[in-house]
């Protein structure tokens, strides 16, 4: 069994939710001596760089074109979405922030700030 | 029971993972007639704007300062992390991309690209 | 004569080109003890934060709407364009890069990379 | 005389200030049928993508390292600074904003907002 297959199998088992992703990224960084570089400041920079990679995919597209990606384009954007998610989860981890909990709190705030057109 | 409490209760029940967050955001947008604005192009712009809000928190901080946030600063960063996560999940939804699956695929690629210092 | 008017007069005299802007920003920073914070790393973060302020102005706009700003919107975008220009010029200064010369070199490269449809 | 040399000569003559850069970029875009893509919305996206290229250069660097670029690194950053400047000038042009004038106005505002430590 090739090493890639073993890694893939273990990762598929481990990453079933955001906490699993957080743990996998924490181990991944530790095994490469990266935690010294993973300050919140540096991670915020890596995060926005990856967000810009998504923006780049759509910068010359019309609204309509941005909705209709080819399978190849979709795979590329998925790759960038993965990068943003991974840096976001890693940033949250080093700051001991739970991103899902933060999202819950923010949606409650937004529900008050932007009332629904009708009862939602 | 106040409306905010009812929303909070329902959201706490609904959002227990990324799929729950995706569904909550989808409903939230539909109830406000927002899907017309939620093109991938526009969402990529909103996403990077929120990523920049995180960057702003750290732009004049030293590496060390960026690790030592006050509770107030941490709450503010959590708020921005929530915004990035929500726009990312919403973008993935309108493109029918599973962000957790994309992250799994990317970690496998990265494991090959950046070998661990020792067997991980 | 009010202090603001005196500053305004002097600035109008001083900033007639990019070199004048560079010198004004250098003095401005020195008079506030800011050079210690003006590392290229920090300035690149401040720069992208201001670029995101421009993006925010256009994130929900259609292509057409983004072309038709009200005077108020135009003034706001001008303000953000100024911020990006100032951080860019400041970043170039601390790295001893001449931005206009860099642009000249880049246009020559681009002219080769993207041939004109007809002789330009 | 090679075409690149002729372009280089003409560009060196033309681009002696921001107005010259603006005119060169306007011609460059027109000769390639690009103005249809150069909406303020699209240009703001291209701008932030290039700003992120600068950020990427510094994301894992310490403050000190970001100050000490090799000639190769400096040339790469100069290239990205050029890209940001060019998209910024092009964006300002399509919105009929004078970036240098906007910067003058902003510095006056900032001089009031952030008083100097001593008379500057």
């Amino acid at each position: 069994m090739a090493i890639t297959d073993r890694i893939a199998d273990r990762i598929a088992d481990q990453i079933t939710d955001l906490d699993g992703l957080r743990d996998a990224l924490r181990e991944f960084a530790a095994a490469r001596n990266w935690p010294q570089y993973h300050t919140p400041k540096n991670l915020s920079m890596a995060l926005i760089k990856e967000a810009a990679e998504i923006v780049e995919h759509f910068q010359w597209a019309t609204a309509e074109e941005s909705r209709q990606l080819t399978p190849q384009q979709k795979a590329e954007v998925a790759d960038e979405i993965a990068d943003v998610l991974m840096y976001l989860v890693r940033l949250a981890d080093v700051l001991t922030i739970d991103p899902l909990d933060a999202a819950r709190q923010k949606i409650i705030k937004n529900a008050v700030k932007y009332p629904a057109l009708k009862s939602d």
Side-chain angles (χ1 to χ4, degrees), chain A residues 38-74:
Chain A
H38 283 190
T39 63
K41 183 179 179 96
N42 290 0
L43 290 167
S44 77
M45 296 174 82
L47 173 72
I48 203 163
K49 173 55 177 58
E50 297 302 337
E53 300 275 340
I54 300 179
V55 166
E56 187 183 20
H57 272 276
F58 299 119
Q59 65 191 3
W60 306 122
T62 63
E64 205 43 51
E65 287 165 352
S66 83
R67 291 191 191 273
Q68 297 170 336
L69 303 185
T70 64
Q72 170 64 22
Q73 290 171 323
K74 187 174 163 181

